[in-house]
Amino acid sequence: MSRKPYLAGKDLEGNRYFEFPNRGGDRPKRIIQYISDDDMLTYVASGRRLPVQWSSWLTHTRPDPPTIEELHADLAHRKRVQVNAARLEEREKEERSRLASQAPLVLPHSQSTDVPRPAPEPKETRPDHRKPDTEAYDPWAAANKAPEEPQSWTPVARRR
């Protein structure tokens, strides 16, 4: 007795998604039926993509098909992200132009050389009270001191 395929749902572009139950009880086969035959090439060859919710359902990553409400919420979220990204880019562009207009003031050549500048004060040198790190642990020295022949070893059972 074979079970008939059933319509699992549609995406916002009108593509239909079907599930074919398997006779052996294994996971069912899931397919997409595009609106037109040309749409398959559009999705495969160009930048158009299926909604991520439906892609994950097709690959059995998610057990249940997405709802129309979930798809609308994701579309609204993507639009909000695009608007916020545009705002951030505009704000960054304004900040760059503001910083570019605030170029550092350059004194005329005659003023910059005539005015004597005070010499920078020397930094106080404090003696370093730490000892040099001459006695650092050298793992190779410890490994080279070990005997060349392997030693016997008995595993110990540990209680969990």
Side-chain angles (χ1 to χ4, degrees), residues 120-138:
E121 297 180 20
K123 295 181 181 177
E124 293 183 24
T125 57
R126 293 178 40 195
D128 193 5
H129 296 292
R130 294 182 294 172
K131 293 180 181 178
D133 200 11
T134 57
E135 299 177 16
Y137 174 72
D138 183 15

Side-chain angles (χ1 to χ4, degrees), residues 90-153:
E90 183 63 32
R91 201 178 303 161
E92 186 175 315
K93 186 178 177 182
E94 289 173 2
E95 181 71 17
R96 280 191 203 139
S97 64
R98 187 181 61 81
L99 289 175
S101 67
Q102 293 178 354
L105 297 175
V106 179
L107 296 175
H109 181 66
S110 61
Q111 289 182 357
S112 63
T113 57
D114 293 344
V115 178
R117 294 185 181 178
E121 297 180 20
K123 295 181 181 177
E124 293 183 24
T125 57
R126 293 178 40 195
D128 193 5
H129 296 292
R130 294 182 294 172
K131 293 180 181 178
D133 200 11
T134 57
E135 299 177 16
Y137 174 72
D138 183 15
W140 290 108
N144 290 335
K145 290 181 185 176
E148 295 293 321
E149 295 184 21
Q151 301 293 317
S152 64
W153 175 73

Side-chain angles (χ1 to χ4, degrees), residues 31-95:
I31 64 165
I32 180 173
Q33 184 179 23
Y34 297 98
I35 294 174
S36 69
D37 293 335
D38 297 337
D39 283 345
M40 184 174 89
L41 294 175
T42 305
Y43 282 100
V44 172
S46 71
R48 280 181 77 186
R49 299 183 65 140
L50 294 173
V52 68
Q53 295 87 354
W54 280 112
S55 294
S56 60
W57 180 81
L58 285 169
T59 59
H60 297 275
T61 305
R62 70 182 282 163
D64 300 320
T67 62
I68 292 292
E69 293 82 17
E70 183 180 356
L71 295 173
H72 280 292
D74 184 55
L75 182 63
H77 176 262
R78 282 189 280 144
K79 285 182 181 179
R80 279 194 313 270
V81 167
Q82 287 176 346
V83 167
N84 289 341
R87 285 181 189 163
L88 286 173
E89 287 177 5
E90 183 63 32
R91 201 178 303 161
E92 186 175 315
K93 186 178 177 182
E94 289 173 2
E95 181 71 17

